[in-house]
Amino acid sequence: MNPVDLAFASALKQSELIRRKEISPLELVELYLERIQQFNSQLGSYFTVTAEQAIDEAKTKTEMLAQKEDLPLFFGIPISIKDLNPVAGIPCCYGNASLLGNVPDFDDGVVAKIKKAGFIILGKTASSELGSFPYTEATGFPPTRNPWNLEYTSGGSSGGASSALAAGLCSIAQGSDGGGSVRGPAACCGLVGIKPSRGRITHAPVGDRLNGIAINGPIARTVADAAALLDAMSGYVSGDSYWLPEPEKSFLSYSQEKVDNLRIAFCTSIPTLGEADKNCHQGVMQTVKLLEELGHTVEEKCPDISDLVEPFQIVWQANVAASGVPPEILQPLNRWLLARNGTAGEYLRAVYQMQMAARKIVMFFDNIDVLVMPVYLHSPIRVGEWSALSPEETFENIIRWIAPCPAANATGQPAISLPVGFDEKGLPIAVQLIGKPTAESTIISLAAQLEAANPVYDKRPSGYQ
């Protein structure tokens, strides 16, 4: 396998090659570090590259490979970690270069699980400031660009993760999703992104301050890769405030199972918030046609999320206040959100209202198995497209763009973003599948079925091949 093919191979394929000793962890890490050196300056995918640590660990793992047979599935596979997640000894600046001096002395709980699964960390990928925005143009860093078309955003807040993976600068990526921040970047960059069910992945050791709307999740080239990384990331840690029982089988196994006839709803508009543009509408309708051909029962209907919009905004903007970052170093939109932050009573009232709205959304799924929607309501924006707007105008644009995403965050339901094609600008088109509570197995099986029927995952952005 030539170096470029290896860089774009699935993580599971790379794992197989390592186990057969056809490649070593050191060779794989060196390949990605070379590609990062070559392409990161134009993409802005990584804030911090931990080349020396990665090489040292790869050498150790390469030696272990010759001595041991019983190794974890992802032994020696290079992964990126989002800048919002602490890794001991590596700067964590939360999307603001003024905080590069913040070097945690502990691993985030999900990072500890990733290390235990055998991965080698290449570095910290770019995030929007505090994870607040669906584009990644962080203070003090170059903007993060979409490898499919450098004029456009790779999404946010996990924009660096998706940009790096789409350009072949890592094998697989960790992200987090508080309002579409895994699904949106995956959609912008032609990747698979899973927002797991609430309680599936730990918030240890620091806990959750967003009332359960945010969760870590995998970004991958294929459904199987994403499912396998979800297996590695999942699981209870003592003291978690909420958790789910272990699934009966691995999520990877569900990506290989035939899915029975499902009751599927779809919609291409969000009442009170807007209609999908031509590309996003096309993605949903193309998927609906394919689902019908595959034997599923499909009907057009949409849950009412109108009661969710205002309380979700109040809970989300409280994240800025809870961060403790000094206002004077924040970007204008985050300063504006901070100034809007209300009292504790207003926050708790918003939590109550959000929970009531979420209850009605979940009831919508009593008679269906999966909801198919756009990921965002329109195609990716250009880098800097909203930079001249006021904070109020930008915030309104964000709400309307990401409208299909926050419902699953509020309810805690699982959702997956899946690429389905490309538009005339060469940018990916995607859909999201939202499942019943705790039903990752269903959406993973269905996504794998759709992926097999419409394989676009093997395409690569020009210039990185």
Side-chain angles (χ1 to χ4, degrees), residues 167-374:
L169 308 190
C170 57
S171 301
I172 199 165
Q174 171 268 337
S176 56
D177 191 315
S181 288
V182 160
R183 289 163 287 163
C188 289
C189 293
L191 302 166
V192 177
I194 299 177
K195 187 212 82 73
S197 297
R198 182 176 300 145
R200 184 69 68 196
I201 295 177
T202 184
H203 283 284
V206 296
D208 164 41
R209 67 185 183 210
L210 278 174
N211 198 57
I213 67 174
I215 189 167
N216 291 284
I219 303 176
R221 301 188 195 287
T222 67
V223 174
D225 270 11
L229 179 52
L230 180 57
D231 284 324
M233 297 169 77
S234 298
Y236 172 76
V237 171
S238 295
D240 284 346
S241 53
Y242 34 76
W243 62 92
L244 296 175
E246 294 291 328
E248 294 181 4
K249 299 185 295 185
S250 72
F251 292 120
L252 175 58
S253 69
Y254 286 111
S255 72
Q256 299 157 350
E257 284 194 359
K258 182 181 182 297
V259 62
D260 294 328
N261 177 274
L262 297 174
R263 300 163 299 172
I264 298 174
F266 76 93
C267 59
T268 58
S269 65
I270 308 294
T272 76
L273 290 174
E275 300 269 346
D277 73 1
K278 180 187 72 172
N279 293 326
C280 298
H281 182 273
Q282 173 192 329
V284 171
M285 299 314 297
Q286 171 187 326
T287 303
V288 166
K289 182 175 184 293
L290 187 53
L291 288 166
E292 290 174 332
E293 292 172 354
L294 291 168
H296 299 287
T297 301
V298 185
E299 61 177 312
E300 184 173 9
K301 63 177 182 178
C302 186
D304 180 8
I305 68 167
S306 56
D307 292 342
L308 176 63
V309 177
E310 183 178 358
F312 192 93
Q313 292 174 37
I314 293 171
V315 172
W316 181 251
Q317 69 195 27
N319 179 57
V320 182
S323 73
V325 176
E328 59 271 17
I329 68 170
L330 290 173
Q331 292 180 320
L333 180 51
N334 269 332
R335 285 202 304 272
W336 180 77
L337 290 170
L338 180 61
R340 284 164 53 98
N341 190 54
T343 66
E346 290 170 337
Y347 172 83
L348 291 175
R349 186 160 52 249
V351 168
Y352 166 79
Q353 292 169 342
M354 187 175 70
Q355 289 173 346
M356 294 301 293
R359 186 176 295 275
K360 289 194 290 186
I361 295 168
V362 172
M363 290 172 63
F364 172 85
F365 286 80
D366 285 349
N367 298 312
I368 67 163
D369 298 304
V370 176
L371 173 63
V372 180
M373 303 175 75

Side-chain angles (χ1 to χ4, degrees), residues 29 75 100 161 191 332 338 449:
V29 165
F75 182 83
L100 275 172
L191 302 166
L338 180 61
Q449 184 184 45

Side-chain angles (χ1 to χ4, degrees), residues 1-9 17 23 28 31 35 460 465:
M1 185 178 292
N2 68 54
V4 176
D5 287 344
L6 179 58
F8 282 94
L17 293 172
I23 61 169
L28 202 51
L31 170 62
R35 291 181 63 84
R460 305 171 187 170
Q465 302 179 26

Side-chain angles (χ1 to χ4, degrees), residues 50 80-95 102-115 121 123-125 127 174-176 202-207 209 216:
T50 54
S80 64
I81 303 295
K82 185 177 177 180
D83 185 58
L84 298 186
N85 295 82
V87 180
I90 302 176
C92 187
C93 65
Y94 303 99
N102 176 51
V103 181
D105 59 2
F106 67 94
D107 287 334
D108 203 8
V110 72
V111 172
K113 287 181 176 293
I114 283 169
K115 287 182 175 180
I121 295 172
K124 302 295 292 296
T125 49
S127 166
Q174 171 268 337
S176 56
T202 184
H203 283 284
V206 296
R209 67 185 183 210
N216 291 284

